[in-house]
Amino acid sequence: MKKFLMAFASLVVFGLTADAQKVEFEEFDLDNGLHVILHQDNSAPVVTVGVMYDVGGKDLGGDEKAGNRTGFAHFFEHLLFEGTENIGRGEWFTIVTSQGGSNNANTSMDRTYYYEVFPSNSLELGLWMESERMLHPVIDQVGVDTQNEVVKEEKRLRMDNSPYGQLLPAVTENLFKKHPYKYKNIGEMEDLDAATLEEFKAYFKKWYGPQNAVLVVTGDFQMENTKKMVRDYFSEVKRGTTPVRNFPKEDPITETIKAKHYDANIQLPAIVAAYRVPGFGKRDAYVMDMVSSYLSDGKSSKLYKKLVDEQKQALAVQAVNLGQKDYGIYALFGIPLGDIALTDLLAEMDEEIAKMQNELISEKDYQKLQNKFENRFVNSNSSMQGIANSLARYYMLYGDVNLINDQINIYRSITREEIQAAVKKYLNPNQRVELEYLPKKDDQ
């Protein structure tokens, strides 16, 4: 009887959560190809205006003469705050903060996202500023030189002088041999130093047109008035040519790739086992999300409980499913405690993988996973800014905006058998990079 009541209560909570979290939205396209998504919620006097462009670190700059240039998308994340024909250099942030707003941008290997959060009476300002970024950016040598120094400082702070800051690049350069995922998102500074102003202008023209973007507005606004403002501010942006990608396919990894990387900023070594897995639009990518959560999400997870709590063999341990569009990266990571060898720590992690391959996870652990993903779903749609990001991302990268409401059902439908099958399929020693991430000595 107790089990029945608990099960019934869970169903009621799931049902109420699904109803409460349903996000209503409207979509339309301008003649120039700009896709627009509007989510109205008048419960608080706040609006978010976001624009996501289908360009990321995998999209290289340069030309046939110059060759490939890395880091252009990330560079433009900074450069397009320099100013426009109607917004003076350095005035962008001042305008936003003077109206009680905030703004930011971020770049992944697959997309670039800019957004502003304003009191709702400044919605028109947000739309005007994003249309200015698309229509009238000032791309000149002063701005390029200024942002070049900003990016260099960011690289020094986050990568060159940060403990384990080179970990991801050390993985990707070994895991990918053909696909541009092998490059650093921030790029190589030699590429940015060598790039000409004409190359930067050509990159903007290629990637930042309305046909390669989605505009999202969420929050406190009136629908018809907002549609009119969107058309007024963005319709004059000229449509460009939609870029075509033709990235080479990676050959399957059939033998373990062993690699080492040395970092002068660390004293404790680390071990990484990294695998190529399907991109995040595939069902198996959702399954691998659940695998990583099962292994290392929280102190009660399998790897943490075993290696940190019980056996005292690791200072830190983690399993991560890094979602990307073309290929995902699944990685096991550990920092040994005391005199534990890296190979021994990896063997202990492999033991947990083998258990998942040979037997189903328990029904109790399965229900715990479902609860975790339910909570993540609720939290992802808990703010207008979060909803704006989700709407843009699901449209741009997944091709299905309604995943903002339906994605949780994919996780709910994943079975214990699917989890076991995915671990068997993707997480085998002969399919991975084994990276020893080591302290760098003076003579190395």
Side-chain angles (χ1 to χ4, degrees):
M1 182 66 177
K2 183 178 179 181
K3 289 184 177 179
F4 171 78
L5 290 173
M6 290 179 65
F8 178 75
S10 296
L11 287 173
V12 171
V13 171
F14 275 13
L16 290 175
T17 302
D19 289 341
Q21 288 299 125
K22 185 171 178 59
V23 176
E24 303 288 350
F25 56 87
E26 290 193 30
E27 299 177 83
F28 63 95
D29 292 301
L30 299 185
D31 291 341
N32 58 17
L34 179 66
H35 192 71
V36 183
I37 308 173
L38 305 178
H39 165 68
Q40 183 178 355
D41 183 339
N42 303 113
S43 60
V46 177
V47 292
T48 296
V49 176
V51 177
M52 185 172 286
Y53 292 91
D54 187 10
V55 58
K58 66 184 179 185
D59 301 303
L60 306 178
D63 51 34
E64 291 184 7
K65 180 180 179 181
N68 291 329
R69 307 274 201 210
T70 61
F72 265 47
H74 173 265
F75 191 83
F76 267 84
E77 175 195 323
H78 293 267
L79 186 63
L80 293 184
F81 281 107
E82 270 290 300
T84 75
E85 293 177 9
N86 298 299
I87 300 174
R89 192 182 309 278
E91 292 182 4
W92 191 285
F93 296 100
T94 302
I95 293 173
V96 172
T97 55
S98 69
Q99 298 299 311
S102 62
N103 63 278
N104 212 331
N106 50 72
T107 307
S108 75
M109 293 300 287
D110 295 306
R111 93 292 178 274
T112 305
Y113 182 54
Y114 303 86
Y115 67 91
E116 287 80 32
V117 181
F118 277 116
S120 51
N121 59 5
S122 294
L123 169 60
E124 187 169 5
L125 175 63
L127 292 171
W128 173 72
M129 293 183 78
E130 285 302 333
S131 70
E132 277 290 299
R133 196 196 308 270
M134 192 180 293
L135 188 61
H136 300 127
V138 173
I139 300 174
D140 59 16
Q141 197 61 52
V142 174
V144 166
D145 292 343
T146 299
Q147 295 308 320
N148 201 358
E149 292 305 312
V150 172
V151 171
K152 286 179 180 178
E153 180 59 28
E154 180 182 346
K155 183 175 182 291
R156 285 190 287 266
L157 179 65
R158 295 188 179 182
M159 298 181 69
D160 298 344
N161 301 322
S162 177
Y164 307 98
Q166 297 284 343
L167 188 63
L168 182 59
V171 168
T172 57
E173 70 183 18
N174 286 286
L175 196 59
F176 299 103
K177 301 302 181 183
K178 299 179 179 180
H179 194 284
Y181 282 157
K182 66 184 178 180
Y183 299 119
K184 299 182 183 75
N185 191 20
I186 201 169
E188 300 295 341
M189 296 306 100
E190 310 87 76
D191 288 346
L192 297 176
D193 286 342
T196 65
L197 183 60
E198 287 69 30
E199 288 175 40
F200 287 114
K201 289 181 176 180
Y203 193 83
F204 178 84
K205 183 178 180 181
K206 179 177 182 179
W207 293 105
Y208 293 84
Q211 78 289 341
N212 207 46
V214 55
L215 167 69
V216 179
V217 182
T218 62
D220 180 30
F221 60 83
Q222 297 304 313
M223 187 65 72
E224 294 308 315
N225 185 45
T226 300
K227 289 179 181 179
K228 182 180 184 304
M229 286 192 289
V230 167
R231 292 188 175 95
D232 288 345
Y233 285 111
F234 288 90
S235 290
E236 66 175 298
V237 186
K238 292 183 179 179
R239 184 187 190 110
T241 302
T242 302
V244 177
R245 297 183 176 94
N246 188 24
F247 297 138
K249 302 293 184 183
E250 290 285 345
D251 297 323
I253 298 173
T254 57
E255 294 183 8
T256 305
I257 300 171
K258 293 185 179 292
K260 293 182 180 180
H261 184 88
Y262 296 91
D263 186 339
N265 301 299
I266 65 171
Q267 294 181 322
L268 298 176
I271 185 70
V272 180
Y275 312 77
R276 268 191 243 130
V277 293
F280 47 48
K282 304 293 192 298
R283 182 175 176 86
D284 275 356
Y286 293 97
V287 180
M288 297 309 293
D289 282 341
M290 301 192 87
V291 173
S292 66
S293 183
Y294 173 81
L295 287 173
S296 75
D297 184 8
K299 293 185 177 181
S300 65
S301 61
K302 298 303 176 183
L303 290 180
Y304 188 95
K305 187 175 180 180
K306 173 186 176 180
L307 297 174
V308 178
D309 276 353
E310 296 176 356
Q311 297 181 186
K312 311 294 189 212
Q313 292 177 300
L315 182 66
V317 65
Q318 195 170 10
V320 179
N321 189 37
L322 177 60
Q324 298 180 139
K325 188 171 184 179
D326 300 335
Y327 298 96
I329 300 172
Y330 193 91
L332 303 172
F333 167 82
I335 299 176
L337 186 62
D339 296 328
I340 301 299
L342 294 178
T343 52
D344 292 341
L345 185 56
L346 180 57
E348 293 290 345
M349 290 191 279
D350 281 342
E351 186 176 77
E352 293 304 307
I353 297 296
K355 287 180 182 178
M356 296 185 73
Q357 292 174 332
N358 294 324
E359 57 190 55
L360 297 177
I361 67 172
S362 71
E363 184 64 34
K364 179 181 178 181
D365 285 333
Y366 176 73
Q367 290 302 326
K368 190 167 94 171
L369 277 177
Q370 291 291 344
N371 292 339
K372 284 184 177 181
F373 280 86
E374 192 80 26
N375 287 333
R376 290 182 190 178
F377 169 72
V378 172
N379 292 334
S380 68
N381 293 341
S382 61
S383 70
M384 289 302 102
Q385 181 180 327
I387 290 173
N389 187 308
S390 294
L391 289 169
R393 186 176 72 255
Y394 289 133
Y395 169 77
M396 184 66 70
L397 301 179
Y398 292 76
D400 183 2
V401 186
N402 209 50
L403 281 173
I404 196 169
N405 297 310
D406 293 345
Q407 191 177 58
I408 187 60
N409 295 323
I410 299 175
Y411 288 111
R412 287 173 181 161
S413 70
I414 292 170
T415 65
R416 293 188 295 157
E417 289 77 10
E418 282 183 279
I419 292 172
Q420 181 184 34
V423 177
K424 283 183 177 181
K425 184 175 182 179
Y426 300 112
L427 302 188
N428 297 297
N430 67 315
Q431 297 171 297
R432 71 189 184 191
V433 171
E434 293 179 7
L435 173 71
E436 293 185 5
Y437 196 86
L438 305 169
K440 185 177 183 180
K441 300 176 183 178
D442 293 339
D443 58 347
Q444 290 175 320

